Amino acid sequence: MAKIERYIIDKILETADIVDVVSDFIDLKKKGVRYTGLCPFHDDRHAGNFIVYPKGNCYKCFTCGAKGG
């Protein structure tokens, strides 16, 4: 399998809006400068534990510890 060149990955990360990408999979609600929703990585029942930060282009779940960009 061919490896994706780093400059292509960097271009995607630079161009993609994390809020648009994540909201394709879960409902997000705006709370100030961030967005919250139910974590897609575990059986989450408490909205607000999964947070998406548009400025940092990243997400974090404070219940299961999932994080990334």
Side-chain angles (χ1 to χ4, degrees), residues 2-69:
K3 190 173 180 183
I4 299 173
E5 298 290 332
R6 185 67 211 180
Y7 78 93
I8 294 173
I9 294 170
D10 291 340
K11 185 68 173 173
I12 292 168
L13 292 173
E14 192 178 288
T15 307
D17 178 8
I18 195 161
V19 174
D20 288 339
V21 173
V22 174
S23 65
D24 282 347
F25 300 95
I26 63 171
D27 290 328
L28 293 174
K29 292 186 170 69
K30 187 164 176 55
K31 300 267 181 154
V33 297
R34 59 190 181 196
Y35 292 79
T36 63
L38 297 175
C39 180
F41 302 110
H42 70 277
D43 186 22
D44 195 0
R45 294 192 177 117
H46 306 304
N49 292 335
F50 184 78
I51 298 176
V52 178
Y53 301 97
K55 186 174 181 180
N57 211 28
C58 61
Y59 65 87
K60 176 158 176 75
C61 176
F62 289 93
T63 301
C64 73
K67 61 184 175 182

